[in-house]
Every structure is written in structure tokens, then in C-alpha cells.
Amino acid sequence: MTASEDISIVLNVYNHEGTVAEAIESVLNQKMPYSSVIYCQNDASTDNSDEIINEYATRYPDKIKVSTSTRNLGSGKKSMYFHRPDVCGRYWCLLDGDDFWIRNDKLEKQIAFLDENPDFVGCSCDTLMKNEINGEESIISPDCETWNLLDCLLLKNKYRFYVHTSSLVWRNVFLKKGFFLPPAFKKEFASGDVMLSHMMLGQGGKVKNIFNVMSCYRVTGKGVWTSKDLKHQNELNESLAELIYRSIPRKYKLYFTLRKLCGRHSILQKLIPGPINS
């Protein structure tokens, strides 16, 4: 496989008739010297989402490709593996049908940075979180500007590296393997944006955050995560660290173990790769 567009946008849709047009428009309105294709995954919506996205596909046949499930698969991950969109861009990103991009220069800024910095595998931005249940708004922003996988593994109690899925652009490092997602992400235990980010960082490289609010995440209470009650969310968060450790490459497990010894053996700090923000 070879790159056929600069960036591939995978748009996951399920019953988003009230918001999906805004999501698509926010992609089409991007001002940039780069080519893009939207791969729209309709997970058997029961509302008018299908009509809306197919109308856009008719208007923009070279920009939008639609796949529709015959039955609801229940998650964006299952939908992507079922349809296996032909994501051949040099870069890729995910957007849900109820989220959107705020600034029309988002992709231009992120792609330009990644083109100029090949040691970075991803580029994120700050995200506006709109809680449509209680009307509150807040900003999702990491504490650090750059980080690698060892930052996430070793400094999780000291720094916060979480960025929302709608903010991220990833380098298509798995393009030659035939699919854009990490092979390990197909495993049954692997799910969610946090684990996906760890797996992308597991190939080496860093993430850079642009401290501008350029994406918007809607909390509707109907999503795969927000539809769960607080108890269930806490249980999943507690098991996440163990699942992430299972998913990372062996060399990072070795680094993780040896870095714990660095405090007692200072020479190891010079020999073993470590976090950027130590």
C-alpha cells in the first residue's frame, strides 16, 4: 500500500443525525495545501444519519466514502475492523459524528509540524468539552507539550498526558502492513482511545500538543463511554493500567522494569531510555 492522500479522516457515525453534518462540514472547511478523504463508517444508524452522510457523499464523491453496517456493531473499533476502510493517507485521524473541529487551520498546523519533525508520531491540540447534559464547558489540555510512551508509563501520577481523540493526528506508521491501526489493537482486550495512543507510541516517537483549542468533544450521555454509569467507568479505569502493560512491546516492559532501578543505580539513567519530562 502507498499513500494516496495526505490525511485520511475516519468518521464513526451512529444515530448522529443532529450533529453529523457539523462534523463533516468542519472537515470540508479545513484550509490547507494537503489532500484529504473522509472514510465514513455508519454503524447501522436507525435515524436519518444515513441520508445525511450519503447526501454529502453524492456532493463530494472524491472526498467522502461511506460504508454502512447491516447491523449495529456497537463500537467504532468493531466498525473499523468490519469495514476495513482503505486508509492510505500519510497521516490519519478519528472523528465521531457528534464531535467537530473548531478551527479551519487545525489539520494544516498539525500536518506541517509532523512533516517537519519525523521523530514525532502524533500531534494533538487542546479540546473544548461541551457537556450537553448539564450545560457546562471545560478545556481538555495536557500538562506537557511533548511526551513519549515512557512518560505515560512512568510519570502517570505526576503528569497528565490525556488528549481527546478528536484532537489527534497520527503518522500512518502501519501503512505498509495493510491497515492503519496497530496490529495489537485487534486483540479482544484492546479498546479505547488511551490504549490506542499507547500502542501508537509503542512504535517509538513522541506526541506534540499545540496549545490551541481546535476540536470539540460533545458529552451527550449516549456515547460508548458516557453511557456507562460512574461505577462501571471506575472499574474500567482501574483495569486499564494492567491492560496497557499487556499491550506494550517487550522492550518497553524491560525499560519499565529497569527504570525503576535507576534511582538506586544512577549509571542506568544514562544507559536506559527514559521519559522526556523526568
Side-chain angles (χ1 to χ4, degrees), residues 35-278:
S35 60
S36 65
V37 174
I38 304 172
Y39 296 88
C40 188
Q41 314 291 301
N42 177 18
D43 194 15
S45 296
T46 58
D47 61 3
N48 292 321
S49 296
D50 186 64
E51 295 178 16
I52 295 169
I53 60 180
N54 278 293
E55 180 182 345
Y56 273 100
T58 300
R59 290 164 55 191
Y60 302 95
D62 296 330
K63 297 278 291 182
I64 302 175
K65 303 181 185 300
V66 178
S67 299
T68 301
S69 306
T70 55
R71 59 181 178 82
N72 180 250
L73 300 168
S75 71
K77 174 188 172 180
K78 291 180 180 179
S79 183
M80 288 184 288
Y81 278 108
F82 179 81
H83 294 291
R84 296 191 69 84
D86 188 22
V87 173
C88 294
R90 296 188 296 120
Y91 304 103
W92 62 269
C93 59
L94 302 178
L95 188 65
D96 284 341
D98 54 354
D99 300 328
F100 63 97
W101 295 332
I102 295 172
R103 287 178 47 160
N104 62 11
D105 60 348
K106 175 186 183 291
L107 295 185
E108 179 181 22
K109 287 180 176 294
Q110 293 176 300
I111 294 173
F113 174 82
L114 290 169
D115 276 350
E116 295 170 4
N117 297 272
D119 54 328
F120 282 77
V121 70
C123 183
S124 61
C125 66
D126 290 351
T127 299
L128 172 65
M129 183 170 70
K130 297 181 67 172
N131 191 318
E132 298 190 349
I133 301 172
N134 57 25
E136 296 179 354
E137 294 186 356
S138 58
I139 302 298
I140 299 174
S141 180
D143 291 343
C144 299
E145 186 175 11
T146 63
W147 60 91
N148 62 15
L149 179 57
L150 289 170
D151 283 285
C152 298
L153 295 174
L154 295 169
L155 304 179
K156 57 187 177 181
N157 295 324
K158 187 176 181 181
Y159 297 98
R160 183 169 62 91
F161 304 103
Y162 177 74
V163 290
H164 190 254
T165 304
S166 65
S167 78
L168 278 158
V169 169
W170 292 108
R171 194 181 301 277
N172 200 348
V173 293
F174 298 106
L175 179 60
K176 292 182 179 179
K177 293 188 177 182
F179 198 51
F180 70 103
L181 293 174
F185 196 62
K186 191 175 182 179
K187 295 180 180 179
E188 186 175 351
F189 70 84
S191 64
D193 53 346
V194 174
M195 186 171 291
L196 178 57
S197 292
H198 280 71
M199 288 182 175
M200 291 299 297
L201 285 168
Q203 300 306 301
K206 301 172 283 188
V207 170
K208 151 85 172 182
N209 187 70
I210 298 174
F211 289 107
N212 296 140
V213 178
M214 298 194 288
S215 70
C216 180
Y217 162 45
R218 285 189 175 98
V219 178
T220 62
K222 300 177 182 178
V224 174
W225 176 255
T226 57
S227 61
K228 294 177 171 58
D229 59 42
L230 184 59
K231 180 181 178 182
H232 194 185
Q233 289 180 350
N234 289 335
E235 290 173 350
L236 291 173
N237 281 330
E238 288 176 3
S239 64
L240 181 60
E242 179 184 347
L243 294 176
I244 286 175
Y245 186 76
R246 287 175 58 187
S247 72
I248 62 175
R250 290 180 181 178
K251 67 177 181 179
Y252 281 100
K253 293 178 181 178
L254 178 60
Y255 295 158
F256 184 79
T257 301
L258 292 177
R259 289 297 299 186
K260 291 182 177 180
L261 302 174
C262 286
R264 287 174 285 177
H265 304 280
S266 58
I267 192 172
L268 291 177
Q269 296 180 3
K270 300 178 181 180
L271 300 176
I272 303 169
I276 299 171
N277 298 285
S278 58

